[in-house]
Amino acid sequence: MYFIKSMESKFEESVEYGSLAGPNKTTAFIWRLLWEDTRYKDGTIPEEEKLYPTPEQSLALNKPPGENVHLRCDANEPCPRHGYWFTPAQVGSRRHFKAGELIPEFKSDYGTTIWQWDSNQQA
């Protein structure tokens, strides 16, 4: 979990409170820095973040085999998982992508090209 300057924290997030916090524990709590991420100091986002799955994708990627996986990927983004994908924006679009491969865009009347994980992973 990341904390950002001026971010508010809730008691449920297991914040360690100091002895000056008082009975309602709303002030004077202690922050402990376990690791400082300096990759963002210059204001840029590291290249490797393009390959990080979203929280939803992380959950889907860790599902046991046989469970339905609901993944989506916007066009011109890296594919979050190797396998077969399709898009309603193009008839007959089903194809295999490798993880990290850029997902193509189709210009059509359908609108934005959004690729969906095909629950049938048979060739």
Side-chain angles (χ1 to χ4, degrees), residues 76-87:
N76 301 313
E77 294 293 325
C79 181
R81 182 178 191 178
H82 73 275
Y84 286 94
W85 295 76
F86 69 93
T87 177

Side-chain angles (χ1 to χ4, degrees), residues 28-90:
F29 51 86
I30 298 170
W31 294 98
R32 272 192 288 166
L33 178 62
L34 301 177
W35 174 72
E36 182 179 4
D37 189 349
T38 58
R39 296 175 298 163
Y40 302 87
K41 280 194 171 185
D42 65 358
T44 60
I45 296 175
E47 282 295 311
E48 71 265 17
E49 279 210 19
K50 291 180 181 175
L51 302 177
Y52 295 166
T54 64
E56 295 81 17
Q57 291 169 336
S58 292
L59 289 173
L61 292 172
N62 292 319
K63 284 188 174 185
E67 282 195 37
N68 285 338
V69 175
H70 301 286
L71 291 176
R72 56 169 272 162
C73 185
D74 293 335
N76 301 313
E77 294 293 325
C79 181
R81 182 178 191 178
H82 73 275
Y84 286 94
W85 295 76
F86 69 93
T87 177
Q90 178 80 22

Side-chain angles (χ1 to χ4, degrees), residues 11-32:
F11 177 73
E12 299 83 36
E13 293 176 324
S14 301
V15 174
E16 182 180 332
Y17 290 92
S19 59
L20 301 175
N24 61 5
K25 297 183 179 177
T26 58
T27 59
F29 51 86
I30 298 170
W31 294 98
R32 272 192 288 166

